[in-house]
Amino acid sequence: MTTTNQTADTIARVAPSLVRDTRAAHDNLLRQVQQRDAEPVYHYSIIKNVGHVQLAISTSYIPVDDETVHQTLGDGRGHILIASSVPHRRLARPVFDIVTRRSGQIKRRSGYRLWLAADGDSALLPDQPGRPVWRVVGTALVRAKATRLNETERREGFARADRMLRRVARDA
């Protein structure tokens, strides 16, 4: 990778409140289901904004589905970064979806993981090399060019980022 940026820092800064609020929404949903008589059950996605980037966590009970994506990106600005996870204390190896809107078209790209270098550089790398790399630069999510990484550098960077994300989720 060539330039240090705010990708991991932004995620680490927003993740604690995002994890807490998503857990609370999950607990509320379970309470509604358990206490339900004939009333409708409401669930909602938690979305946190950082400039033009919206961050969300998609769980099996509260998915960030296409309708939510369309509502969030309805004004035609910004990107959504969705972490797929579980609502409990553990944060399994998170995989990110990157959702963009351009010329009225919404595109969802799956299979990205946070990568964190020992020097603090970070990016969202595809699970398979050859696809675009994404970074948070300032308050925007942008496509970036990637320097070639060997398999050891990729594996170590993913492991470093996974540890950071698990620590952030655990402490939330």
Side-chain angles (χ1 to χ4, degrees):
M1 297 296 138
T2 54
T3 59
T4 302
N5 59 77
Q6 299 86 27
T7 308
D9 291 340
T10 300
I11 292 170
R13 183 169 28 97
V14 176
S17 64
L18 184 58
V19 168
R20 281 191 301 270
D21 290 352
T22 300
R23 282 185 191 137
H26 177 264
D27 292 344
N28 184 44
L29 175 63
L30 289 181
R31 258 192 312 281
Q32 288 181 62
V33 169
Q34 292 168 352
Q35 298 171 354
R36 181 176 134 175
D37 288 328
E39 297 180 25
V41 174
Y42 298 100
H43 68 86
Y44 54 94
S45 299
I46 304 298
I47 298 174
K48 302 287 182 179
N49 296 314
V50 178
H52 297 294
V53 182
Q54 289 81 33
L55 294 97
I57 298 175
S58 188
T59 71
S60 56
Y61 297 110
I62 305 178
V64 181
D65 56 18
D66 289 342
E67 182 180 338
T68 303
V69 166
H70 281 274
Q71 290 172 353
T72 304
L73 294 179
D75 65 359
R77 295 170 39 124
H79 299 83
I80 303 177
L81 186 55
I82 304 169
S84 300
S85 185
V86 292
H88 303 293
R89 285 278 174 216
R90 51 186 281 272
L91 187 66
R93 177 180 292 164
V95 177
F96 293 88
D97 285 2
I98 297 169
V99 185
T100 60
R101 181 179 181 118
R102 186 175 188 174
S103 302
Q105 299 284 34
I106 293 178
K107 186 169 184 178
R108 193 169 186 154
R109 297 164 181 89
S110 300
Y112 280 82
R113 291 182 57 200
L114 181 62
W115 177 87
L116 180 61
D119 67 1
D121 190 14
S122 57
L124 292 159
L125 300 184
D127 51 5
Q128 298 175 356
R131 293 173 51 208
V133 170
W134 292 82
R135 296 172 181 270
V136 175
V137 179
T139 59
L141 186 62
V142 299
R143 285 176 82 160
K145 292 185 179 179
T147 304
R148 288 193 179 273
L149 299 171
N150 64 41
E151 191 53 39
T152 300
E153 292 168 321
R154 283 177 60 85
R155 190 175 51 252
E156 288 175 355
F158 287 145
R160 197 175 292 112
D162 289 350
R163 284 191 302 272
M164 181 205 73
L165 290 169
R166 281 193 297 272
R167 183 177 59 250
V168 167
R170 183 188 65 235
D171 295 345

